[in-house]
Amino acid sequence: MSIRFGLAAAFIAVLLTWASPSNAQVIMQRDVGVRMGLEIAVAALDQCEKDGNGVSVAVVDRAGRLRVFLQADQANPHNLELARRKAYTARTFGRTSAEWAKRTVEMPELAAQRELADVIALRGGVPIKVGNETIGAVGVSGSSSEGDEKCAMAGVAKVADQLK
């Protein structure tokens, strides 16, 4: 019994030392703010409307939370959820939703990722990055697969100068 007690006491002492206030830190992270999200969403919506498509556009932050959602007047109701899930997928995996979908087919060991909640293997989700750091994503739904991705990329391109 005394050996167990001694090991438990030593373990607690290590934890307390490791988690002491002297080791506490403030985590500084880049993220997509609401104004940047609006710029991206409006630029994506403008591109799709210019191409003759009524779409939904969703922008998520680094945690995958919805920051901005816009829906064109002629967009279909289901596009709202698809746009959000495309953005979430691009944010989660740090690559376009199309690249992720292709990877999960080409690499069978990754196929189970498709079972995660809220991800979707459809083209139209594009990550928002500062260097290699993914700080959010945009998803578009309502035109063709290529058109959705083109509009999402136009949204990110609109703020490229802020992502340096």
Side-chain angles (χ1 to χ4, degrees), residues 32 37 39-45 56-61 68 82-91 95-97 123-128 134-141 148-149 151-157:
V32 176
E39 280 188 71
I40 292 168
V42 168
L45 185 68
S56 294
V57 180
V59 177
V60 297
D61 64 13
V68 175
L82 292 175
R84 185 192 64 78
R85 289 178 65 187
K86 289 177 183 186
Y88 182 81
T89 301
R91 165 53 198 108
R95 62 187 71 231
T96 69
S97 55
R123 194 170 180 178
V126 174
I128 302 165
T134 304
I135 65 166
V138 57
V140 177
S141 181
D148 287 349
E149 188 171 87
C151 295
M153 288 183 170
V156 175

Side-chain angles (χ1 to χ4, degrees), residues 69-80:
F69 174 74
L70 297 177
Q71 189 167 35
D73 295 335
Q74 302 304 314
N76 288 313
H78 66 276
N79 292 8
L80 153 125

